[in-house]
Amino acid sequence: MTAEQAAARAAELRDQLHHHAHLYYVLDAPELPDAEYDKRFQELQALEAAFPEVLTPDSPTQRVLGQVLDGFVPVRHAVPMLSIRTETDTEASGAENFDARVRRELDLPPTAGPVEYAAELKFDGLAINLRYEHGVLVQAATRGNGETGEDVTQNVRTIGQIPLKLRGDGAHAAVLEIRGEVYMRRDDFEALNERQRAANEKTFVNPRNTAAGAIRQLDPALTRQRPLSFFAYGLGDVQGWDIPPRHSELLDALKSFGVSVCADCAVAVGAEGLVAFHREMGEQRDRLPFDIDGVVYKVNSRELQRRLGFVSREPRWAVAHKYPAQEQVTRLDRIDIQVGRTGKLTPVAKLEPVFVGGTTVSNATLHNVFELRRKGVRVGDQVIVRRAGDVIPEIVGKVDATRPAYVPNFHMPRHCPVCGSDVVRERGGIDHRCSGGIFCPAQRKQALLHFAGRRAMDIEGLGDKLVDQLVDGGIVASLPALYKLGVAKLTALERMGEKSAQNLVDALEKSKRTTMARFLFALGIRQVGETTAKDLARHFGNMDALMAATEEQLLEVKDVGPIVARSIAAFFAEAHNRKVVEQLIAAGITFPQGDGAASAPLGPQPLAGKTLVLTGTLPTLSRDEAKALIEAAGGKVSGSVSKKTSFVVAGEEAGSKLDKARELGVTVVDEAGLQTLLAAPPEAVDAAE
């Protein structure tokens, strides 16, 4: 056989195998016996081995290959993978609320006809973005934080339902990103656990976690051992293809490309159609071959979607309508206290284990002591447990039954169970917190990460994974211990070379020269943000004066109220916190003393007394850079728009803050307008407001 003949035969075999894989995996209608499929598969393998030049990335033989990865490579999404709003009203009114909101935002009069929607299932799996270029799968990425995900291409290629090459019009697009959900069918999940039990290995908890874990395996061979499935429901980046004008038509087009689309979808007309779909799918929920936790409604017309737009990076034209979480009854055995990374004390219910929502639950949050009182639960009660949002177990309430005996009310401890520091609660607040701050072991990792942050001490290279190693290994038990780290100690850590170790040591040394404001912010004192830290530094000038200040003296500082003053005083009232500050200064941290310790000498103050709000993405300035310029000009940056707001600085994709500004008549400027304000005399700024 010549190379030309081999290429022609290989192309023929690839087309046949793609066709029969689609029939088998997507349509569940195989036409070819397994033995015949295997015969053609092996013939293609032999051809590719004899003529390596005929091997293509979309060859079916490439599903089973892939090296073990060192880690996942970040992928920046060309089009962000946005979340959608969740309608928590699990009754029919949730659908009616969404329809009413859409009609109101489209300004449709009562006499206008009903809005047409595409109604789909909300799958309980892992969101994936599949990037096809000229019809060939070139990349698969997780959602991540919506902006950046992880490259999981090798693992996704092992999923039979995901085509390596698109059919029809889909093969012609220069770029076509298809978005959907990787999930595991219930029968596949049960079969997998049967195999695990037969091999005397650990069984898996639920299909959703098993599917997500399989996709994030570093070894594609392990992913291939788990039976995963896929449904498509939308698009990302598209180049060279005309998107259909209706979402339901888009789903039909994806099916014609050979992509798996769930058949349980419908075009619903008006609120009545949405209510009917929600009810029907709710009745079928337990009979479906896969898990869902709700349904999704989308305005069907892409033109209406465009008119509705987005708010807070969520589409106005779509909503997820949840079903009631599964609930079970069990006994509350005891109540423990958990100290979080920020010092918040949370009562945790220790339960008699119960299977709820696909997992065995033995712990449940009680949120805070006031919520516990409201629900009226005590140790020994029979309680109703729910997995809130199908994720976090919580106690809904108690079953009306006689308690086995008198049990006193639960009370929050006066001292932190981890470090022994005083437990405090802000006046009027509901949360109890450990006042140990940087001293408390439960808060140590968060304290270190905050301390090293770019806007605090700016210690480049001290990230999550390194902090985990330093704390878990007992190497760093306090902030001052950071400055005792040397190259030799760091190079002994996992994945830490000599150059990286030296860079971190250099960054630690560089961080010692700072400002009092940065140092104060880095300490992580509750209620003390960057602006308050600058005000405190400017007012007191040195740490000794600040640490000795009474609540009354703290109230003299600009914008410091009773809650903030109480928090600062409580922090420095703890001897161990003062000791940490002294040790950090003894380690070599220095900053200017006296007036102006917050920053360099003040320049012109055209924005003095003005409050500005930033929203959207500015062309050249980051949010932090814009904030720094405003504060340097005497202005204050707020996170919300009110009648007291002087200006709103709006960039691309500005959301609800821009709408609020227009509603209140607040002056809106772009980045160029901000630069003009910064350079203008105060009287010109007053006139522009």
Side-chain angles (χ1 to χ4, degrees):
M1 182 179 286
T2 66
E4 185 176 342
Q5 290 171 325
R9 177 58 178 163
E12 181 182 10
L13 288 170
R14 282 196 300 272
D15 288 343
Q16 291 177 6
L17 293 171
H18 282 315
H19 170 72
H20 289 290
H22 177 68
L23 292 175
Y24 182 89
Y25 289 110
V26 179
L27 302 183
D28 195 24
E31 294 179 350
L32 203 65
D34 289 349
E36 184 59 28
Y37 182 94
D38 293 343
K39 181 180 176 181
R40 299 182 193 188
F41 187 94
Q42 290 160 8
E43 182 184 352
L44 179 58
Q45 279 184 315
L47 277 174
E48 291 172 344
F51 299 90
E53 65 271 22
V54 307
L55 177 62
T56 60
D58 62 312
S59 173
T61 63
Q62 299 305 290
R63 286 195 187 276
V64 297
L65 301 180
Q67 299 296 316
V68 177
L69 306 175
D70 291 329
F72 293 111
V73 177
V75 173
R76 182 82 174 177
H77 296 302
V79 176
M81 293 184 73
L82 304 179
S83 58
I84 60 175
R85 184 184 305 176
T86 297
E87 177 59 66
T88 55
D89 185 340
T90 56
E91 301 301 323
S93 56
E96 296 165 345
N97 293 342
F98 175 61
D99 178 65
R101 188 161 59 240
V102 167
R103 296 184 65 85
R104 183 171 63 252
E105 291 173 350
L106 287 173
D107 200 24
L108 296 178
T111 54
V115 177
E116 185 180 85
Y117 298 95
E120 307 168 20
L121 300 182
K122 185 176 183 298
F123 311 108
D124 201 9
L126 183 72
I128 290 290
N129 184 80
L130 306 175
R131 184 178 179 89
Y132 291 87
E133 294 180 4
H134 303 288
V136 177
L137 178 66
V138 297
Q139 186 183 75
T142 61
R143 180 181 183 276
N145 62 8
E147 297 284 348
T148 302
E150 295 175 320
D151 189 330
V152 291
T153 309
Q154 289 195 40
N155 291 344
V156 164
R157 291 172 73 88
T158 68
I159 302 174
Q161 274 192 319
I162 294 178
L164 300 179
K165 184 177 182 179
L166 299 178
R167 303 144 50 106
D169 288 346
H172 302 149
V175 174
L176 185 62
E177 289 189 347
I178 298 174
R179 290 177 173 172
E181 200 92 355
V182 170
Y183 68 98
M184 186 175 289
R185 291 171 53 98
R186 291 171 181 161
D187 54 356
D188 286 335
F189 174 73
E190 292 300 330
L192 174 63
N193 268 345
E194 281 297 326
R195 293 195 296 272
Q196 292 294 109
R197 281 189 284 268
N200 199 26
E201 302 217 0
K202 180 182 177 182
T203 57
F204 299 100
V205 175
N206 58 52
R208 195 269 171 201
N209 290 351
T210 309
I215 287 296
R216 301 194 73 256
Q217 283 284 344
L218 293 176
D219 185 354
L222 294 178
T223 304
R224 188 166 177 264
Q225 294 172 13
R226 299 189 188 178
L228 300 178
S229 299
F230 175 81
F231 279 138
Y233 52 65
L235 296 176
D237 191 22
V238 177
Q239 299 173 32
W241 183 60
D242 293 328
I243 305 173
R246 300 162 80 227
H247 183 76
S248 56
E249 293 168 344
L250 166 64
L251 297 181
D252 290 337
L254 293 179
K255 281 191 279 189
S256 73
F257 298 165
V259 180
S260 179
V261 175
C262 182
D264 293 302
C265 58
V267 173
V269 178
E272 185 176 336
L274 295 180
V275 169
F277 182 82
H278 181 265
R279 180 173 57 248
E280 180 183 357
M281 290 300 105
E283 292 170 353
Q284 295 184 26
R285 182 184 183 189
D286 291 338
R287 297 193 298 273
L288 291 171
F290 44 80
D291 290 341
I292 64 170
D293 53 5
V295 294
V296 175
Y297 312 135
K298 299 174 183 176
V299 173
N300 206 17
S301 165
R302 289 184 60 246
E303 173 56 23
L304 291 184
Q305 290 181 9
R306 186 194 62 77
R307 284 175 53 188
L308 287 164
F310 298 78
V311 57
S312 301
R313 301 190 64 76
E314 294 178 348
R316 284 190 171 100
W317 43 266
V319 72
H321 190 180
K322 303 288 286 245
Y323 286 120
Q326 293 179 326
E327 298 177 349
Q328 293 290 346
V329 175
T330 188
R331 188 182 67 246
L332 173 58
D333 288 336
R334 69 177 193 277
I335 299 174
D336 289 351
I337 290 293
Q338 182 181 66
V339 183
R341 287 161 62 94
T342 61
K344 178 183 173 182
L345 272 65
T346 301
V348 176
K350 298 296 181 178
L351 307 166
E352 180 178 308
V354 61
F355 198 73
V356 185
T359 188
T360 300
V361 172
S362 56
N363 299 322
T365 180
L366 288 162
H367 300 291
N368 55 67
V369 71
F370 299 98
E371 183 73 1
L372 192 154
R373 293 277 190 278
R374 185 183 68 80
K375 292 173 178 175
V377 298
R378 300 189 187 186
V379 173
D381 283 351
Q382 293 291 311
V383 294
I384 303 168
V385 181
R386 178 175 66 194
R387 295 188 66 201
D390 290 341
V391 177
I392 305 168
E394 69 170 345
I395 288 181
V396 181
K398 63 182 178 69
V399 176
D400 289 332
T402 305
R403 290 190 174 102
Y406 169 75
V407 178
N409 257 329
F410 173 83
H411 293 279
M412 294 294 284
R414 295 185 177 182
H415 301 285
C416 173
V418 176
C419 71
S421 298
D422 289 343
V423 170
V424 297
R425 178 171 67 87
E426 295 166 359
R427 188 171 298 168
I430 60 174
D431 292 329
H432 289 72
R433 294 183 181 274
C434 165
S435 63
I438 51 182
F439 169 77
C440 182
Q443 303 175 61
R444 192 166 292 153
K445 290 182 181 180
Q446 181 65 25
L448 288 168
L449 289 168
H450 177 79
F451 185 81
R454 184 165 55 85
R455 294 179 294 175
M457 299 302 286
D458 194 17
I459 305 173
E460 189 173 350
L462 190 61
D464 290 343
K465 293 181 180 178
L466 182 54
V467 165
D468 284 344
Q469 288 192 71
L470 293 172
V471 174
D472 295 343
I475 299 169
V476 171
S478 66
L479 297 180
L482 282 173
Y483 293 97
K484 296 179 181 178
L485 292 173
V487 172
K489 188 172 290 187
L490 288 168
T491 52
L493 298 175
E494 183 182 350
R495 295 187 181 181
M496 177 63 75
E498 188 170 341
K499 183 177 180 181
S500 298
Q502 185 61 58
N503 288 341
L504 179 57
V505 170
D506 292 343
L508 285 163
E509 187 62 31
K510 180 182 176 183
S511 74
K512 291 179 180 179
R513 295 174 294 280
T514 187
T515 66
M516 181 175 168
R518 277 180 170 270
F519 180 68
L520 266 178
F521 177 62
L523 292 177
I525 305 170
R526 184 158 171 78
Q527 305 291 349
V528 176
E530 293 174 86
T531 301
T532 301
K534 291 176 183 177
D535 291 338
L536 290 168
R538 200 172 280 128
H539 183 91
F540 289 101
N542 62 74
M543 288 300 300
D544 288 339
L546 174 59
M547 290 193 291
T550 63
E551 285 189 35
E552 290 73 19
Q553 291 170 322
L554 288 165
L555 287 170
E556 296 173 5
V557 180
K558 174 187 174 184
D559 292 333
V560 170
I563 292 176
V564 178
R566 194 175 302 117
S567 179
I568 298 168
F571 180 88
F572 288 119
E574 296 284 355
H576 46 68
N577 286 339
R578 295 195 303 274
K579 185 177 180 180
V580 166
V581 171
E582 293 163 0
Q583 289 174 336
L584 286 169
I585 293 173
I589 291 178
T590 60
F591 40 79
Q593 303 287 317
D595 292 341
S599 60
L602 298 176
Q605 302 281 285
L607 298 181
K610 306 297 183 186
T611 299
L612 289 83
V613 172
L614 298 167
T615 181
T617 303
L618 300 179
T620 65
L621 294 174
S622 69
R623 187 70 62 92
D624 288 342
E625 290 168 340
K627 182 179 179 183
L629 288 173
I630 292 168
E631 291 179 344
K636 178 182 178 182
V637 177
S638 174
S640 58
V641 180
S642 70
K643 292 181 180 179
K644 296 181 180 179
T645 303
S646 307
F647 299 95
V648 168
V649 183
E652 290 185 12
E653 298 184 6
S656 58
K657 293 176 184 177
L658 178 57
D659 297 336
K660 184 72 171 179
R662 288 169 175 162
E663 180 185 325
L664 296 176
V666 176
T667 303
V668 178
V669 298
D670 56 11
E671 182 180 314
L674 171 62
Q675 296 288 7
T676 299
L677 293 174
L678 293 170
E683 57 270 20
V685 175
D686 290 338
E689 186 176 350

